[in-house]
Amino acid sequence: MASSLRFRGAASGLRYWSRRQRPAATSLAAGKDLAPSCPVPPPAARFSRLTSEEIFSREALRLGRCLKPNILADVKAWRLLPLPLAPLVLPSLPLLGIQMDDVQRPFRDLGRVCSRSMASKTPVGFIGLGNMGNPMAKNLMKHGYPLIIYDVFPDACKEFQDAGEQVVSSPADVAEKADRIITMLPTSINAIEAYSGANGILKKVKKGSLLIDSSTIDPAISKELAKEAEKMGAVFMDAPVSGGVGAARSGNLTFMVGGVEDEFAAAQELLGCMGSNVVYCGAVGTGQAAKICNNMLLAISMIGTAETMNLGIRLGLDPKLLAKILNMSSGRCWSSDSYNPVPGVMDGVPSANNYQGGFGTTLMAKDLGLAQDSATSTKSPILLGSQAHQIYRMMCAKGYSKKDFSSVFQFLREEETF
C-alpha cells in the first residue's frame, strides 16, 4: 500500500510539473537563481547553511512547499523545495553536488516536524508572575503561545486575563489544562507547594507532561521534585535564569538547564522564546548548581564594586569618571559596567530608581544561603561567599529587604562601623 501511494504521488508530480514551463538551458548553465516553482534547483554551492528557525507552516504546506526546519540546519539543500519536485530532481542531484540523503532527510522528518509544529500551538502553563515571571510570560505570548496562568496574587494575573489568556485558581488546574508548564517562584518552599501541595501540579499532571522550573532553589529539592514527577509519568527539568529583570523584558535571559538530555530540545523550544542563551548543564540539579555559583560570584562582585565606588568617591573622584576608568581597566565586571550600584552613574538600572525593582536583597540572601548549604555539604571553602551572605542578611535586618541587591552601596555608605 505504501509503495503504491509513493508511486501514485510520484506520477502525480510528473504530470503536474510536465505542464509547467521549463527554464532555459542557458539559465541553468549560468547557475542563475530560479523561481521557487522551477523544477531545477540552483547549485548547492549558492546556498549557505540555515541557522534560523524554520518550521512547516500551514501556508507553506498549502503552497506545496517544505520549509527546512532548524533541526536540519546542517543540510546543504535549498530553502524552498516544491514537494512534487522530487521525482524529477532526485536522479540529477549528484550532478549538482547534492547528496541524496541531504534531501531525503527533510521528507523523512516531515511527519515528526509537522507534529512538533502543531504541538507548539497548544497552551503553555505559567505559574509565578513576579518581577521575572511577568516579562517571561509576556515573551511567550509574543511568540504566539496561548497561556494558562496562575499566581498566588490574583492581581498579578489581571493584565494577562485582559489580554485574553486563561487564568485558573490553582497549580493543579494549570496541570489539568496544559502539558507544558513553566514555574518561576521565589523559594524552595514555594516550589514544593506549587508542585507537591494539596492543589499542586502533581495532583493533576498528565503523563508525558514537561515541567520546567525556572526558580532558584536547592538542587536537592529539584532532584526530589524530579523523582515525584517521574512517578506520575512526567518529566521535570530545572532551568534557573540569569540576567535580571532587564534581560527578562528583552528576552535575553540565560537559562541553565538540568534534566534528561533527550528532553532538552523540547525545553529549549520554549526557553528560547525568553532567553538568548539556553545551556544544557547535565542531570537534574546541575542547572541549580550553576545558578548558585553564578549568584555567589555576582554578590561578591557587587559588594566589591560598591566598596570600590564608595572609596573612590570619598577620595574625591567623580563617580561617573571612576566607573569609566574601571570599565576600561582590569577591574571591569558586570556590576560595574551593566548594573552600577551608584545613583546617577547609569540610567535604566535600580540605582537610578531608588533601588526599586530588579533582584531583591531578600532573594540574594536566599541564594547565598543555598550556596552556603551546598558548600557545607560538599566541604568547599567559600570565605568571600560566606562574608557576602552575612552582609546581605544584615541588609535585610536593616530595612533593605525589598530593595534591589545593588543597594549594598547605600548600605555601606550609611554604615560607618565596619
Side-chain angles (χ1 to χ4, degrees):
M1 176 66 73
S3 300
S4 175
L5 288 174
R6 282 196 295 268
F7 178 80
R8 288 166 59 189
S12 176
L14 284 168
R15 288 195 298 271
Y16 176 78
W17 287 104
S18 65
R19 295 195 296 270
R20 301 298 298 266
Q21 182 177 355
R22 298 183 179 275
T26 53
S27 296
L28 178 59
K32 295 181 180 179
D33 288 340
L34 303 175
S37 60
C38 176
V40 182
R46 295 180 60 85
F47 293 85
S48 59
R49 292 183 178 184
L50 302 182
T51 57
S52 60
E53 183 176 0
E54 296 179 344
I55 62 173
F56 290 91
S57 66
R58 291 181 180 178
E59 182 66 12
L61 292 174
R62 185 183 69 79
L63 294 173
R65 300 192 182 100
C66 170
L67 284 173
K68 184 207 289 269
N70 60 343
I71 58 172
L72 298 172
D74 289 334
V75 176
K76 299 175 183 177
W78 46 91
R79 286 181 182 268
L80 291 173
L81 175 66
L83 293 179
L85 178 61
L88 291 177
V89 175
L90 291 179
S92 304
L93 290 179
L95 299 177
L96 298 173
I98 302 173
Q99 299 301 316
M100 290 287 289
D101 192 55
D102 290 340
V103 175
Q104 289 173 340
R105 259 184 295 165
F107 289 98
R108 287 199 303 266
D109 293 332
L110 175 60
R112 178 166 63 87
V113 178
C114 285
S115 297
R116 183 178 175 184
S117 176
M118 291 174 64
S120 69
K121 302 296 183 182
T122 60
V124 174
F126 203 103
I127 299 172
L129 301 170
N131 288 340
M132 296 292 290
N134 179 291
M136 289 168 64
K138 287 178 179 177
N139 280 325
L140 283 173
M141 290 171 58
K142 290 177 183 176
H143 282 78
Y145 289 96
L147 300 180
I148 309 294
I149 295 289
Y150 172 76
D151 192 277
V152 291
F153 299 105
D155 288 346
C157 303
K158 188 177 185 307
E159 63 177 317
F160 292 93
Q161 190 169 28
D162 293 343
E165 305 302 332
Q166 186 175 356
V167 177
V168 296
S169 57
S170 72
D173 292 338
V174 174
E176 187 175 31
K177 296 176 180 293
D179 57 11
R180 294 181 294 176
I181 302 172
I182 298 171
T183 52
M184 187 61 173
L185 304 164
T187 68
S188 297
I189 293 174
N190 299 127
I192 292 171
E193 180 64 23
Y195 281 92
S196 302
N199 292 304
I201 292 169
L202 297 179
K203 295 297 181 182
K204 295 184 179 180
V205 69
K206 305 172 186 176
K207 288 186 178 180
S209 291
L210 176 62
L211 312 176
I212 304 173
D213 182 35
S214 289
S215 318
T216 300
I217 62 176
D218 189 330
I221 299 296
S222 292
K223 293 176 183 178
E224 287 301 317
L225 293 177
K227 290 179 181 178
E228 292 184 29
E230 186 177 8
K231 291 177 183 177
M232 304 301 294
V235 176
F236 177 95
M237 305 187 82
D238 58 306
V241 305
S242 178
V245 175
R249 289 173 181 161
S250 63
N252 290 316
L253 290 168
T254 292
F255 286 88
M256 294 151 273
V257 185
V260 180
E261 188 171 7
D262 289 345
E263 301 294 337
F264 176 64
Q268 189 176 29
E269 178 188 346
L270 295 177
L271 301 180
C273 299
M274 302 175 285
S276 53
N277 298 297
V278 183
V279 184
Y280 180 70
C281 299
V284 172
T286 56
Q288 297 293 352
K291 173 61 186 292
I292 289 171
C293 291
N294 177 80
N295 274 24
M296 183 176 75
L297 179 58
L298 175 60
I300 294 169
S301 68
M302 180 57 78
I303 293 170
T305 300
E307 289 182 343
T308 298
M309 295 296 294
N310 185 38
L311 176 61
I313 291 170
R314 293 190 180 191
L315 289 172
L317 288 168
D318 176 77
K320 286 188 176 181
L321 175 63
L322 177 56
K324 180 180 179 180
I325 293 171
L326 292 175
N327 294 334
M328 62 174 61
S329 305
S330 56
R332 178 184 179 182
C333 64
W334 187 83
S335 297
S336 69
D337 72 357
S338 299
Y339 211 82
N340 199 285
V342 181
V345 171
M346 294 182 67
D347 295 326
V349 295
S351 63
N353 188 35
N354 194 29
Y355 300 104
Q356 299 303 307
F359 186 62
T361 296
T362 300
L363 294 176
M364 179 56 84
K366 180 263 295 183
D367 289 357
L368 290 168
L370 295 174
Q372 186 72 67
D373 292 342
S374 297
T376 301
S377 65
T378 58
K379 298 181 180 180
S380 303
I382 53 167
L383 305 181
L384 294 180
S386 295
Q387 188 64 44
H389 184 208
Q390 294 305 313
I391 290 173
Y392 277 102
R393 288 183 64 189
M394 290 174 61
M395 288 176 64
C396 291
K398 294 274 188 175
Y400 290 83
S401 60
K402 294 183 179 180
K403 291 191 174 185
D404 180 74
F405 80 107
S406 63
S407 63
V408 66
F409 172 79
Q410 189 180 56
F411 173 71
L412 293 173
R413 291 277 287 179
E414 294 176 354
E415 293 291 328
E416 301 289 345
T417 58
F418 287 104

